[in-house]
Amino acid sequence: MSEIKYYEQIGVAMTCRSYQEYKDMFMLDEQILQKGSILDVASGASSFITDVNKNGNVGIAIDPLYQLSAYEMEKLGKREIQLSSDKLANVQDSFLWDYYTSLDQHIEIRQKSFKKFIESYTHEKGESYISGSLPILPFADESFSLILCNHFLFLYQDQFDFTFHVNALNEMIRVLENGGEIRIYPIVGFKNELYPYLDELKLEIKKNEVEFDLIPTHFSFLPNATHYLQIKK
């Protein structure tokens, strides 16, 4: 039996996901999307907030990459999509291919999402797209009704320690409205391993008097990434 090869990542990759992927991985419906302001943390070049605002809702994306100009972002994004697709092609057997039907479809979604993002970023940089990063967010207390974070926290568990995760979640809770929700996906690392300190993290976070639950998702790609983390304030 051949050894499973895993996706290798040095540093934090640029995410580039579509509105539909967000809806599926976070099990989002129109009721929660229309409830109030939405924050997408570590959004990268994803087009979720682009479509949130286009649909008449209110959203802000935050990422340290937003210090880049539109030209720099476009150049970086094209390179990142090519690099990630090349790496993914070499480790296809470590992923599930029921949500994405093929590598070509996966690439096509990335490219369409990125094109939509760049068009929006060019005109709304500094408004809908704010430069910043965890564990410090440049927003007032209780600013958002829904906060999302995909493919950053927990995925990079080898690069960010337990203290970082505690501080990051506490900061997200700070800017979350009472009655609001945080949703984070996935809860596994690149080797498909569940984040090992979830119980300890839950004890720390519940000091804020929040609800901490793992919720099943229909989205699938990493075999063990079957749930998202939901925090209710």
Side-chain angles (χ1 to χ4, degrees):
M1 185 174 180
S2 60
E3 183 180 354
I4 296 177
K5 295 181 180 179
Y6 295 105
Y7 191 94
E8 295 184 2
Q9 178 64 41
I10 299 174
V12 178
M14 171 190 280
T15 57
C16 185
R17 288 176 172 80
S18 67
Y19 182 80
Q20 189 61 50
E21 286 171 291
Y22 272 71
K23 288 192 71 175
D24 294 336
M25 73 175 68
F26 291 115
M27 307 295 285
L28 300 172
D29 56 30
E30 290 306 312
Q31 183 176 359
I32 193 168
L33 291 171
Q34 295 172 7
K35 184 177 179 181
S37 296
I38 300 168
L39 176 65
D40 187 16
V41 179
S43 182
S46 296
S47 60
F48 173 70
I49 290 298
T50 304
D51 282 333
V52 162
N53 292 326
K54 187 177 293 185
N55 292 343
N57 300 317
V58 180
I60 290 177
I62 185 165
D63 194 289
L65 290 174
Y66 298 159
Q67 63 184 313
L68 299 178
S69 68
Y71 171 78
E72 291 170 327
M73 183 69 84
E74 184 170 16
K75 186 176 179 180
L76 174 62
K78 289 179 177 178
R79 186 167 68 244
E80 284 274 308
I81 291 173
Q82 184 63 58
L83 177 62
S84 64
S85 298
D86 290 345
K87 290 194 292 184
L88 186 56
N90 293 323
V91 294
Q92 291 186 63
D93 290 345
S94 63
F95 293 87
L96 301 175
W97 294 92
D98 46 5
Y99 183 84
Y100 306 108
T101 58
S102 67
L103 178 59
D104 286 343
Q105 188 210 29
H106 186 275
I107 295 171
E108 182 181 1
I109 292 172
R110 299 281 81 74
Q111 291 173 335
K112 286 183 177 179
S113 178
F114 180 64
K115 180 180 179 181
K116 185 179 291 187
F117 163 81
I118 283 295
E119 290 173 353
S120 178
Y121 184 77
T122 299
H123 301 290
E124 298 179 48
K125 182 180 181 300
E127 297 176 13
S128 299
Y129 306 98
I130 306 295
S131 178
S133 61
L134 291 169
I136 299 174
L137 299 174
F139 306 110
D141 295 354
E142 301 186 10
S143 294
F144 302 94
S145 66
L146 176 65
I147 301 176
L148 304 175
C149 182
N150 88 87
H151 293 82
F152 175 56
L153 291 174
F154 308 127
L155 184 65
Y156 292 90
Q157 55 189 262
D158 290 338
Q159 297 185 43
F160 297 96
D161 63 13
F162 177 74
T163 299
F164 176 86
H165 282 85
V166 170
N167 292 338
L169 290 187
N170 281 334
E171 181 70 349
M172 294 165 75
I173 291 168
R174 179 187 68 79
V175 302
L176 183 68
E177 294 176 354
N178 286 322
E181 291 185 33
I182 297 168
R183 298 187 183 186
I184 300 169
Y185 179 89
I187 316 169
V188 303
F190 284 106
K191 293 181 180 179
N192 203 30
E193 72 280 32
L194 186 69
Y195 182 66
Y197 306 112
L198 274 178
D199 289 339
E200 293 89 337
L201 189 63
K202 181 177 181 178
L203 290 175
E204 286 293 327
I205 298 308
K206 291 194 76 172
K207 293 176 182 178
N208 293 289
E209 298 184 352
V210 296
E211 297 178 24
F212 185 108
D213 296 295
L214 301 184
I215 308 297
T217 174
H218 295 159
F219 182 87
S220 65
F221 197 36
L222 280 165
N224 288 336
T226 56
H227 293 69
Y228 65 84
L229 172 62
Q230 178 191 70
I231 299 174
K232 287 187 174 183
K233 186 174 180 181

